[in-house]
Amino acid sequence: MTIPAEITAPRLTIAGQPCGSTEMLAVIDPSTAAPFIEVPSATLRQLDEAVAAADAAFGAWGGFPLSRRQEMIRGIRDVVLANIDELAVLVTMEQGKPLGNARGEIMASLRQIDFLGSIAMDREIIKDDDTGRVEVRREPLGVVGAISVWNYPILTALFKIVPALVAGNVVIVKPSPYTPVATLRLGELLQTVLPPGVVQVLAGADELGSALTKHPGVRKISFTGSVATGKQVMAAAAGNLTRVTLELGGNDAGIVLDDVDPAAVGAELFWAAFSNSGQVCAALKRLYVPEAKFDAICEAIAAEAATVVVGPGLQDGVKAGPIQNKPQLERVRELTADALVKGGDAFFTGEVPAGPGYWFPTTLIRGVAEDVPLVAEEQFGPVMPILRYRTLDDAIRRANDTDYGLGASVWSTDLERAAAVADRLRAGSVWVNQHPTVSPTVPFGGVKQSGIGVEGSMHGLIEYTDIKVVSVKR
Ligand code: NAD
């Protein structure tokens, strides 16, 4: 793939028209810690204009037959595929992940269209007899605000855009101020396949997101981000009873059972935690290992860690990029330093490039107590604590002892035993011998404070609708 020498800054699109702004947002390449581009940051007035344009577009879009909408939505796949090289470079430059992973993120986003691009949304007939007919319809809501995040900028945007559009809504996307570039470019590309105002991408700071959540013209907020922000979104949405789907953080536990072969699972356990440099909502974030297998499991995970080349995502052979932004780098540094002060043993520390960039070495830590923040909180970076357990009951209790409830996993060769442990773990998804998996046909979401609602599958799709009952007396 040719990497462009110069990148043209994408523009905002309001009512189908590309436009600038009086405010600009400098975007940093995390592999250099230096700005590489400036993009327009939407003003609050432009937000109002976008909501008005979206509302105007909703009339026609929401009224189209589902098949007509789906035909245009399949056009999204075509235009994204035709421009995937450019989009992937932008994702790598702003997010930091290796180019192959950026392409993988975009391809994974498009799988939704394969599923939702031809799904049926049939009316439910509750009664149809001599006395009357009662049918349940799924009606679109109107303008949806989609607030996305910096670890998977394109995926977290398209996972909202596609189901919202299929259900008949129109969408305003607010990407993270750390990673607005590829999403703005996506917004420009979508203008070629969708009517004006159906999808508009407005980059901006957190305040723009906040204004979107309070906007009286917005009927639903689909949000991906931290628990703390999720709570603010929900509080703001309460003012207009705006619907919310909240995909929030996690502190996923994995429990290894005593029958595993460490050499067979080491690499998978490593990547469960360290994919995207640990910046995955449902990454494995703490691992519980029985006494008898503890040393062997640590060794097997470290063996895979030793193969990882950390570096700039555009460089060949790189398997992991930098941390995406400075505050997150500081947080991972603090959590790790604190764990070491509190007795942790960093038994593996990888190498990072010299020079600027938000680099943090791949780090494996053992010997820390349960209440150390590295264990008790979400790290969201390339460091994982590995903890010993004596009894399975104790491991399950510790795994569940958290306000988070996004994912969890069990690792065993005995699938029945693993299933019995899975039954006792409190999380939106429990995986056996894998962690995590996301598919357009499977619901994904958190319990407890990890979120409200799901994305993916028919369950995720109907979150972009209200129920309307039509009841006829005969
Ligand atoms: P964040 O919550 O700070 O920001 C996310 C988005 O919200 C950004 O676009 C931001 O501009 C916007 N925002 C900030 N304040 C806002 C407000 N008051 N109102 C409306 N919007 C606002 O996100 P972060 O902490 O930088 O991101 C990392 C978190 O995201 C982690 O906890 C991670 O687990 C979580 N995450 C969850 C999922 C999931 O599907 N469950 C996926 C990816 C990331």
Side-chain angles (χ1 to χ4, degrees):
M1 180 194 303
T2 351
I3 295 165
E6 267 186 42
I7 295 167
T8 317
R11 291 171 291 176
L12 291 175
T13 354
I14 298 180
Q17 294 305 314
C19 53
S21 172
T22 49
E23 295 167 20
M24 297 302 278
L25 197 59
V27 184
I28 289 175
D29 172 349
S31 71
T32 60
F36 73 100
I37 202 166
E38 278 198 342
V39 296
S41 174
T43 61
L44 293 182
R45 194 183 160 142
Q46 287 176 316
L47 172 63
D48 286 339
E49 286 168 17
V51 173
D55 202 40
F58 175 58
W61 180 258
F64 286 154
L66 174 61
S67 58
R68 183 157 173 209
R69 286 201 299 270
Q70 285 172 319
E71 199 184 318
M72 284 189 261
I73 290 162
R74 291 194 295 271
I76 298 179
R77 179 180 51 201
D78 300 341
V79 75
V80 169
L81 281 177
N83 293 276
I84 191 165
D85 287 354
E86 180 195 358
L87 286 169
V89 168
L90 294 179
V91 168
T92 292
M93 290 195 77
E94 63 182 340
Q95 203 285 328
K97 69 186 63 178
L99 197 51
N101 297 61
R103 283 182 77 92
E105 172 182 340
I106 298 166
M107 291 306 293
S109 316
L110 295 182
R111 273 181 222 122
Q112 284 221 91
I113 298 176
D114 300 339
F115 173 61
L116 294 175
S118 54
I119 202 168
M121 294 183 76
D122 296 331
R123 293 174 176 180
E124 183 189 348
I125 312 299
I126 289 187
K127 164 179 160 169
D128 191 8
D129 61 21
D130 294 347
T131 62
R133 177 181 168 92
V134 179
E135 67 177 42
V136 179
R137 301 176 185 173
R138 290 283 175 178
E139 300 273 306
L141 301 164
V143 181
V144 169
I147 302 178
S148 55
V149 68
W150 47 261
N151 60 341
Y152 287 93
I154 290 288
L155 185 135
T156 55
L158 276 174
F159 267 43
K160 302 176 190 317
I161 295 171
V162 174
L165 294 185
V166 168
N169 304 282
V170 292
V171 188
I172 295 177
V173 186
K174 210 295 285 175
S176 165
Y178 292 117
T179 53
V181 190
T183 318
L184 278 170
R185 180 71 186 120
L186 175 71
E188 285 185 325
L189 293 170
L190 296 193
Q191 304 315 308
T192 63
V193 292
L194 297 172
V198 168
V199 173
Q200 302 170 95
V201 178
L202 269 58
D206 296 352
E207 293 68 32
L208 185 72
S210 174
L212 188 62
T213 59
K214 294 179 192 134
H215 204 291
V218 173
R219 300 272 168 253
K220 177 179 173 100
I221 294 289
S222 180
F223 171 81
T224 301
S226 64
V227 172
T229 312
K231 289 177 183 176
Q232 290 176 31
V233 168
M234 194 164 176
N240 296 308
L241 283 183
T242 306
R243 278 89 180 111
V244 291
T245 294
L246 303 175
E247 297 291 346
L248 309 180
N251 191 10
D252 292 14
I255 301 180
V256 172
L257 303 194
D258 53 14
D259 56 60
V260 296
D261 169 6
V265 294
E268 280 197 69
L269 284 170
F270 174 82
W271 287 109
F274 288 88
S275 177
N276 208 32
S277 297
Q279 302 163 113
V280 178
C281 53
L284 172 61
K285 293 186 177 129
R286 40 194 181 116
L287 183 64
Y288 294 90
V289 181
E291 286 280 6
K293 293 279 163 99
F294 192 80
D295 290 344
I297 286 281
C298 287
E299 223 170 88
I301 297 175
E304 181 66 15
T307 69
V308 175
V309 178
V310 176
L314 292 180
Q315 195 174 293
D316 279 345
V318 160
K319 281 199 192 171
I323 289 184
Q324 199 281 325
N325 60 74
K326 198 166 178 215
Q328 189 57 31
L329 174 67
E330 298 298 338
R331 178 167 161 74
V332 175
R333 276 187 180 148
E334 275 167 30
L335 286 171
T336 307
D338 169 77
L340 298 183
V341 166
K342 291 175 177 154
D345 161 28
F347 68 94
F348 179 89
T349 307
E351 310 223 324
V352 290
Y358 301 143
W359 304 111
F360 191 88
T362 305
T363 306
L364 294 165
I365 294 192
R366 63 186 163 201
V368 274
E370 206 68 20
D371 60 352
V372 165
L374 182 74
V375 180
E377 296 174 18
E378 179 185 39
Q379 323 95 20
F380 218 60
V383 50
M384 178 171 69
I386 305 181
L387 303 120
R388 294 170 195 270
Y389 73 82
R390 288 205 175 80
T391 67
L392 198 46
D393 282 349
D394 184 45
I396 294 169
R397 182 191 58 74
R398 288 156 68 192
N400 284 335
D401 186 17
T402 169
D403 286 336
Y404 289 107
L406 196 54
S409 59
V410 190
W411 300 76
S412 174
T413 50
D414 181 338
L415 297 186
E416 267 182 41
R417 237 178 119 213
V421 176
D423 286 348
R424 295 171 63 194
L425 290 171
R426 294 187 61 206
S429 302
V430 183
W431 296 284
V432 173
N433 295 330
Q434 53 184 353
H435 190 148
T437 58
V438 176
S439 151
T441 57
V442 179
F444 174 80
V447 299
K448 299 198 270 181
Q449 293 195 19
S450 283
I452 292 184
V454 295
E455 289 187 333
S457 79
M458 193 58 165
H459 298 280
L461 179 60
I462 64 175
E463 291 197 20
Y464 289 95
T465 64
D466 270 339
I467 280 182
K468 176 172 171 184
V469 174
V470 177
S471 183
V472 178
K473 184 179 166 194
R474 284 183 176 136

